[in-house]
């Protein structure tokens, strides 16, 4: 599945007139395979050994290109660093208050919220965002061990 997603993403970029550089390919491949919603710095650190001449600015610039092409969502949850999520399908995020990890989940009933909001207000709804906060199992286990 990741191979097909990468191929489709590369086609999308090419159709948008974006040149596929080795760095761009690697960043995109990393995002597709990552389940951690990485920051630009995390992407840079993961790829710097393969691309010693690549800078953090290169990563940010490529992420902007991917975002503008609709391939990546930039997630900002109030802290200083954005996280990036390869767009595979509509989904929501649960965020750990302790470590900041972000996990995807899907709940199909929430599409009804958009329809209701549109009906009640007359707005043409373009999107919505749902964030759930809590403590992940790893942090919960750590807290139990500390007590």
């Amino acid at each position: 599945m990741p191979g097909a997603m990468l191929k489709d993403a590369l086609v999308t970029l090419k159709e948008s007139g974006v040149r596929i550089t080795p760095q761009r390919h690697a960043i995109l491949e990393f995002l597709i395979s990552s389940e951690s919603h990485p920051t630009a710095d995390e992407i840079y650190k993961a790829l710097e050994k393969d691309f010693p001449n690549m800078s953090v600015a290169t990563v940010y610039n490529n992420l902007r290109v991917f975002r503008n092409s609709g391939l990546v969502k930039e997630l900002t949850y109030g802290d200083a660093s954005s996280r990036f999520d390869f767009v595979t399908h509509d989904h929501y995020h649960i965020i750990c208050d302790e470590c900041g990890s972000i996990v995807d989940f899907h709940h199909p009933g929430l599409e009804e919220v958009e329809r209701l909001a549109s009906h009640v207000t007359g707005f043409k709804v373009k999107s919505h965002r749902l964030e759930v906060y809590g403590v992940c199992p790893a942090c919960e286990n750590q807290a139990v061990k500390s007590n």
Side-chain angles (χ1 to χ4, degrees):
M1 180 73 121
M5 288 190 291
L6 178 61
K7 186 177 178 180
D8 290 345
L10 293 171
V11 167
T12 298
L13 289 172
K14 286 178 186 174
E15 289 174 350
S16 302
V18 175
R19 194 170 59 91
I20 308 302
T21 63
Q23 294 91 341
R24 199 166 273 159
H25 188 280
I27 294 166
L28 193 56
E29 191 171 23
F30 182 83
L31 280 167
I32 290 170
S33 65
S34 175
E35 295 181 9
S36 67
H37 306 83
T39 64
D41 285 336
E42 289 168 346
I43 296 168
Y44 169 75
K45 287 175 185 162
L47 299 176
E48 71 177 331
K49 63 186 170 298
D50 296 327
F51 299 94
N53 295 327
M54 183 172 66
S55 67
V56 177
T58 300
V59 174
Y60 275 107
N61 290 336
N62 280 291
L63 290 169
R64 186 176 34 37
V65 168
F66 299 156
R67 189 186 65 222
N68 293 342
S69 297
L71 296 173
V72 170
K73 284 186 181 176
E74 184 173 0
L75 308 175
T76 54
Y77 293 117
D79 61 357
S81 58
S82 292
R83 295 188 166 272
F84 296 88
D85 189 13
F86 183 77
V87 177
T88 54
H89 60 280
D90 287 334
H91 62 273
Y92 307 100
H93 298 106
I94 185 162
I95 301 116
C96 180
D97 289 326
E98 300 295 320
C99 69
S101 68
I102 302 171
V103 176
D104 295 344
F105 73 95
H106 179 74
H107 183 61
L110 291 173
E111 282 93 12
E112 181 62 28
V113 172
E114 284 189 1
R115 288 191 290 279
L116 179 62
S118 178
H119 177 73
V120 169
T121 64
F123 276 58
K124 180 180 178 184
V125 175
K126 294 180 178 181
S127 66
H128 69 271
R129 177 169 145 172
L130 173 70
E131 302 165 11
V132 179
Y133 293 86
V135 178
C136 72
C139 290
E140 186 65 30
N141 287 340
Q142 190 67 29
V144 169
K145 289 178 184 175
S146 298
N147 292 333

